[in-house]
Amino acid sequence: MPVRMTLPSTFGARLEASARPLIGMWVCSGSPLVAEIAAGSGLDWVLIDAEHSANGLESIQAQLQAVAAYPVAPVVRVPFGDTVVIKRYLDIGVQNLLVPMVDSAEQAEGLVRAVRYPPEGVRGVGSSLARASRWNRVEHYLADAPSTISLIVQVESAAAVADVDRIAAVDGIDALFVGPADLAASMGHLGQPGHPDVVEAVLSAIRAGRAAGVPVGVNAFVAADAERYLEAGASFVAVGADVALLARASEALADRFIGDAAGGDASDRPSY
């Protein structure tokens, strides 16, 4: 007899059940080993990125397998919100899907259809071939699939903030995630995610989500920013990234043990 499987709780279910905001970090290296190290850190969630990182389906699947032994929630960001791309990510077992650059409620509605089987959606049916159903070892997977998936949409443009009330009201959206870096760029403040206008836009998105009863998360690598958004009611925050932690820590080693002997100027290095 085959082993009968149950799937982990979704990120949306964990947010709903948690008495405090959930704190996480990015995993951008593409390494299952690094993903496993992050998964055992004690953080609540890890965000495996395929938009700005050299991650493909095979490496993401390996990372999902590496973190499965830990209580952490893996969230995966697709490169863009294409129906075929989303189908393939879901089929390798991504349960918590983050879609970047969602600018309108209509776009969000299309994404809801992309993660659902007909007649409610357009997701192609291949569960017997897919890790999503553990190759049909999850009983009733097709009927229960909507409850096994959390859809998170990324609000990261001035247009998205302008439409955030309607985006938050879309049935099937489990959470919003605000990206201050791209938001700053779209508002004419490239490289200034801490600009007062950008901060206010982020806060307005948090308020909109809270009013709609939808959790809102924020990317905030600067501790003061993370604390500000948590105080404002953010339900989840990403406070670091594997590659950034390694870059800054290795620079600190060089500064301490080599210093100016190498001819570098530590003041020129970014703080994030």
Side-chain angles (χ1 to χ4, degrees):
M1 290 288 293
V3 175
R4 293 302 175 190
M5 308 289 293
T6 56
L7 296 176
S9 298
T10 65
F11 190 55
R14 296 184 191 212
L15 285 168
E16 185 175 356
S18 179
R20 59 168 178 80
L22 301 184
I23 306 301
M25 66 175 286
W26 293 81
V27 178
C28 305
S29 63
S31 165
L33 178 63
V34 172
E36 185 174 4
I37 292 170
S41 65
L43 292 170
D44 299 303
W45 58 288
V46 294
L47 206 171
I48 302 169
D49 183 41
E51 184 189 14
H52 292 298
S53 304
N55 264 313
L57 290 171
E58 293 84 355
S59 66
I60 290 171
Q61 180 171 276
Q63 289 171 83
L64 292 174
Q65 291 167 329
V67 306
Y70 298 85
V72 72
V75 177
V76 177
R77 182 166 71 173
V78 295
F80 61 105
D82 176 79
T83 300
V84 174
V85 170
I86 288 172
K87 172 181 65 177
R88 299 191 73 194
Y89 276 67
L90 295 178
D91 281 350
I92 65 169
V94 173
Q95 289 184 254
N96 307 305
L97 192 78
L98 174 62
V99 181
M101 294 293 182
V102 178
D103 294 331
S104 69
E106 290 74 20
Q107 189 179 355
E109 290 168 353
L111 295 171
V112 173
R113 291 191 294 273
V115 303
R116 294 184 175 177
Y117 290 122
E120 292 81 14
V122 296
R123 179 183 175 187
V125 181
S127 58
S128 63
L129 309 176
R131 181 176 179 270
S133 70
R134 301 306 187 266
W135 304 277
N136 278 349
R137 290 171 181 161
V138 175
E139 291 187 302
H140 312 300
Y141 176 79
L142 290 176
D144 297 340
S147 67
T148 71
I149 296 167
S150 282
L151 175 60
I152 309 156
V153 298
Q154 195 155 2
V155 173
E156 49 184 341
S157 70
V161 170
D163 205 27
V164 70
D165 292 314
R166 292 201 314 130
I167 294 172
V170 172
D171 184 36
I173 298 299
D174 295 290
L176 309 178
F177 186 65
V178 185
D182 277 302
L183 178 57
S186 79
M187 296 176 68
H189 304 300
L190 180 65
Q192 302 177 67
H195 189 282
D197 292 345
V198 179
V199 170
E200 177 52 36
V202 175
L203 293 173
S204 70
I206 293 173
R207 290 192 293 267
R210 287 174 61 84
V214 177
V216 181
V218 186
N219 196 47
F221 289 5
V222 177
D225 291 339
E227 290 163 358
R228 174 194 294 120
Y229 297 135
L230 287 167
E231 290 174 3
S235 296
F236 58 108
V237 179
V239 295
D242 56 349
V243 291
L245 291 169
L246 178 59
R248 302 295 85 80
S250 59
E251 290 163 4
L253 289 173
D255 287 341
R256 177 171 181 177
F257 293 103
I258 301 174
D260 292 337
D265 184 353
S267 65
D268 291 335
R269 296 175 185 151
S271 60
Y272 53 88

